[in-house]
């Protein structure tokens, strides 16, 4: 296993990573990316075991509903790259099980890689979304054939890939990039049916980072994102060679969707668990803001908070249903129920902006305009900040100030915009969740109930 310091040193491996127009020579020393690297490193020390042969328990597959229920809050407490690593490894197990017997060699590669990743205690980021070019055209019909990641060459020892994967959270902070097809591939699109694991420092890999991280010198103005933020990367594969042992799919088009769906399942259960915590946090923000403002008794405020409580409870219920009705595989691990996972994820994402609107409506415009802690501490302005930030009697002005900073930082600043989009897009977007939910829903039973209610005994096929 690796320690936090060993992880930070491992990032100095010649990787080609860029931030806002400049090449990053040292990630740990970078003013923005260094904070993200420190966040990832804390998970290493949390689970470090010096015993010979020890592996990180956070990366082990759950083997029962109880273990899955226990693992989800553990994952919420670690950094996003470690969570992504767990999801990637579980997607590998899920895909290997679905390939067993039909593509045994590929399945063996997947399992061997997963084992080496756990033993090496590496971090993995998921690379699934392609550039896509003209969305109305299939991969093989794009004017630029590199709009989707594809094989451009192969020999007896490996393959060469070209293209880009976009919106990859934490791409510069892992050791391997898990490349998977974004969708089901059709006849003629075999070169786009590629799944493989690529070390971040491989020749031809370049990562262009963007970040919602605050740039303020006084980090107290950003109480959450100053500590926990993670850049997203455009990952460029410029004729990158991948040896056969790291290749899991190379032209077997009929199995492209296996990887996309396997990763989507674990991405969405992660998203659902995050939304459950997030929904409870929004309820807390709304209630505290109303309390500080002296509006808890107002009927419209109580109605909004009640609606937020119902929203949070439904997400939590969907998450629990996904765990309780988990599916055990022949290999002995479990994966969450796909219907409840996708339905809960859809509900959470589709209603997120309304819940945030309720928080902002209850809290008021001070969410955006509250002075900083520095203004409160300033001898000339502090007395006025304290006087005019006062809400109801008994709530300190500083506490109301800090509460508004937290609401702004998480919902109305750069991170708020980032979250508004990622809640919808992560795990394949709302359309994907509607499709998977429909595919796993017992529609025949629903039809039978309706026919019985209508007194109809036969229906035209």
């Amino acid at each position: 296993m690796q320690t936090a310091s060993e992880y930070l040193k491992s990032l100095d491996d010649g990787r080609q990573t860029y931030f806002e127009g400049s090449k990053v020579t040292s990630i740990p020393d970078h003013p923005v990316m260094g904070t993200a690297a420190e966040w990832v490193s804390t998970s290493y020390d949390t689970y470090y075991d010096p015993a010979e042969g020890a592996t990180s328990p956070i990366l082990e597959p759950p083997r029962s509903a109880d273990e899955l229920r226990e693992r989800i809050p553990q994952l919420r407490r670690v950094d996003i790259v470690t969570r992504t690593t767990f999801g990637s490894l579980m997607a590998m197990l899920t895909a290997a099980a679905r390939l067993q017997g039909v593509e045994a060699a590929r399945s063996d590669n997947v399992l061997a890689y997963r084992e080496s990743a756990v033993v090496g205690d590496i971090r993995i980021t998921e690379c699934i979304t392609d550039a896509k070019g003209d969305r109305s055209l299939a991969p093989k019909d794009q004017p630029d054939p590199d709009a989707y990641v594809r094989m451009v060459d192969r020999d007896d020892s490996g393959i060469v890939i070209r293209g880009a994967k976009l919106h990859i959270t934490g791409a510069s902070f892992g050791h391997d990039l898990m490349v998977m097809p974004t969708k089901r591939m059709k006849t003629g699109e075999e070169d786009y049916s590629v799944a493989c694991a690529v070390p971040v420092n491989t020749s031809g890999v370049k990562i262009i980072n963007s970040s919602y991280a605050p740039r303020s010198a006084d980090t107290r103005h950003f109480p959450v994102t100053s500590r926990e933020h993670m850049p997203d990367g455009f990952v460029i594969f410029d004729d990158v060679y991948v040896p056969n042992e790291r290749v899991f799919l190379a032209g077997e088009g009929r199995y492209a969707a296996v990887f996309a769906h396997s990763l989507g399942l674990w991405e969405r259960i992660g998203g659902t668990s995050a939304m459950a915590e997030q929904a409870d946090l929004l309820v807390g923000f709304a209630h505290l803001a109303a309390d500080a403002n002296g509006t808890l008794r107002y009927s419209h405020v109580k109605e909004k908070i009640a609606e937020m409580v119902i929203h949070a409870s439904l997400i939590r219920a969907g998450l629990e249903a996904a765990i309780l009705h988990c599916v055990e595989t022949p290999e002995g691990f479990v994966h969450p129920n796909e219907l409840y996972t996708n339905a809960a994820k859809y509900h959470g994402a589709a209603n997120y902006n309304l819940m945030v609107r309720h928080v902002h409506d209850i809290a008021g415009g001070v969410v955006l305009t509250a002075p900083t802690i520095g203004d409160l501490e300033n001898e000339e302005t502090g007395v006025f900040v304290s006087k005019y930030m006062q809400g109801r009697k008994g709530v300190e002005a500083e506490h109301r100030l800090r509460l508004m900073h937290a609401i702004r930082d998480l919902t109305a600043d750069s991170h708020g915009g980032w979250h508004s989009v990622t809640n919808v897009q992560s795990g394949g977007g709302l359309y994907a969740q509607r499709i998977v939910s429909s595919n796993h829903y017992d529609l025949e039973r629903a039809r039978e109930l309706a026919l019985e209610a209508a007194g109809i005994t036969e229906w035209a096929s």
Side-chain angles (χ1 to χ4, degrees):
M1 295 181 70
Q2 296 189 54
T3 63
S5 61
E6 288 170 339
Y7 161 74
L8 292 172
K9 289 178 183 177
S10 74
L11 299 178
D12 183 20
D13 58 1
R15 61 187 61 197
Q16 305 293 299
T17 188
Y18 301 80
F19 187 86
E20 295 184 347
S22 299
K23 187 175 181 179
V24 178
T25 55
S26 172
I27 289 177
D29 295 328
H30 191 272
V32 174
M33 298 185 73
T35 308
E38 284 289 341
W39 185 25
V40 179
S41 75
T42 59
S43 297
Y44 273 97
D45 276 354
T46 298
Y47 289 99
Y48 180 70
D49 184 344
E52 185 176 354
T55 57
S56 178
I58 198 70
L59 302 181
E60 288 300 315
R63 299 187 177 278
S64 68
D66 287 341
E67 285 190 17
L68 181 58
R69 184 180 292 105
E70 181 181 334
R71 184 65 47 80
I72 285 175
Q74 289 175 338
L75 289 165
R76 293 308 316 156
R77 289 192 291 270
V78 298
D79 65 278
I80 195 169
V81 174
T82 299
R83 294 199 297 267
T84 300
T85 301
F86 172 79
S88 298
L89 293 175
M90 291 308 304
M92 300 299 281
L93 279 178
T94 305
R98 293 171 178 177
L99 289 174
Q100 195 71 43
V102 292
E103 286 289 338
R106 296 299 188 200
S107 178
D108 290 346
N109 263 15
V110 170
L111 294 175
Y113 172 79
R114 181 204 164 273
E115 179 66 21
S116 67
V118 171
V119 171
D121 202 15
I122 66 169
R123 294 296 181 261
I124 302 167
T125 53
E126 303 161 350
C127 296
I128 188 165
T129 302
D130 295 283
K132 296 182 181 177
D134 184 341
R135 270 65 169 176
S136 69
L137 300 176
K140 63 182 178 60
D141 299 324
Q142 294 287 332
D144 184 345
D146 299 336
Y148 289 75
V149 169
R150 65 188 180 113
M151 289 187 298
V152 294
D153 198 8
R154 69 187 305 170
D155 58 26
D156 291 341
S157 61
I159 64 174
V160 177
I161 62 173
R162 183 190 301 163
K165 293 289 188 178
L166 311 187
H167 330 310
I168 313 305
T169 300
S172 292
F173 300 86
H175 301 99
D176 280 0
L177 302 159
M178 184 61 61
V179 179
M180 293 186 179
T182 191
K183 60 194 288 287
R184 185 184 304 277
M185 296 299 171
K186 301 175 183 176
T187 301
E189 297 174 341
E190 288 77 12
D191 286 345
Y192 297 97
S193 300
V194 178
C196 56
V198 180
V200 176
N201 65 344
T202 302
S203 176
V205 173
K206 293 180 174 63
I207 303 174
I208 305 169
N209 295 275
S210 62
S211 178
Y212 56 81
R215 307 297 200 272
S216 173
D218 189 345
T219 58
R220 294 174 301 179
H221 199 50
F222 297 86
V224 180
T225 58
S226 61
R227 295 177 288 103
E228 297 182 358
H229 63 83
M230 187 55 59
D232 296 299
F234 269 40
V235 183
I236 314 300
F237 298 97
D238 186 19
D239 289 1
V240 172
Y241 175 76
V242 187
N244 280 334
E245 61 269 19
R246 285 176 163 265
V247 176
F248 316 125
L249 198 67
E252 300 86 355
R254 61 194 179 281
Y255 301 120
V258 168
F259 286 89
H261 291 166
S262 298
L263 185 58
L265 171 61
W266 289 100
E267 178 73 14
R268 289 166 198 157
I269 194 66
T272 301
S273 66
M275 286 179 181
E277 287 294 307
Q278 183 183 75
D280 288 337
L281 176 62
L282 292 179
V283 171
F285 276 158
H287 201 275
L288 287 174
D291 189 15
N293 291 346
T295 60
L296 268 178
R297 294 181 180 179
Y298 289 11
S299 60
H300 75 91
V301 171
K302 289 192 289 186
E303 288 172 3
K304 290 182 177 70
I305 293 176
E307 188 174 348
M308 296 175 70
V309 166
I310 291 169
H311 169 75
S313 299
L314 286 174
I315 299 174
R316 187 72 64 179
L319 177 62
E320 177 60 26
I323 295 169
L324 184 62
H325 297 280
C326 63
V327 177
E328 183 174 357
T329 71
E331 294 73 25
F333 70 92
V334 298
H335 63 73
N337 179 282
E338 297 210 44
L339 171 60
Y340 296 121
T341 297
N342 282 271
K345 171 69 167 60
Y346 178 90
H347 172 78
N351 292 282
Y352 171 75
N353 287 344
L354 176 59
M355 300 304 116
V356 170
R357 191 183 82 184
H358 287 340
V359 174
H360 294 167
D361 195 20
I362 291 168
V366 73
V367 164
L368 293 180
T369 62
T372 67
I373 299 298
D375 293 316
L376 180 65
E377 294 172 343
N378 184 287
E379 291 183 1
E380 297 180 6
T381 60
V383 62
F384 298 106
V385 173
S386 181
K387 176 182 175 67
Y388 294 114
M389 275 301 296
Q390 187 66 48
R392 77 160 175 85
K393 185 178 180 179
V395 177
E396 294 183 22
E398 180 180 346
H399 291 169
R400 184 165 177 256
L401 188 68
R402 289 183 181 276
L403 174 63
M404 298 306 167
H405 285 336
I407 293 173
R408 188 211 73 254
D409 189 17
L410 288 178
T411 68
D413 221 311
S414 295
H415 181 267
W418 179 88
H419 228 107
S420 181
V421 175
T422 55
N423 269 355
V424 172
Q425 298 296 340
S426 64
L430 297 179
Y431 174 74
Q433 279 121 70
R434 287 198 298 268
I435 292 298
V436 177
S437 296
S438 297
N439 289 343
H440 288 271
Y441 180 74
D442 191 349
L443 184 59
E444 191 57 37
R445 178 178 177 275
R447 285 168 59 91
E448 289 174 359
L449 288 172
L451 288 171
E452 182 180 352
I456 300 172
T457 57
E458 292 185 10
W459 190 262
S461 60

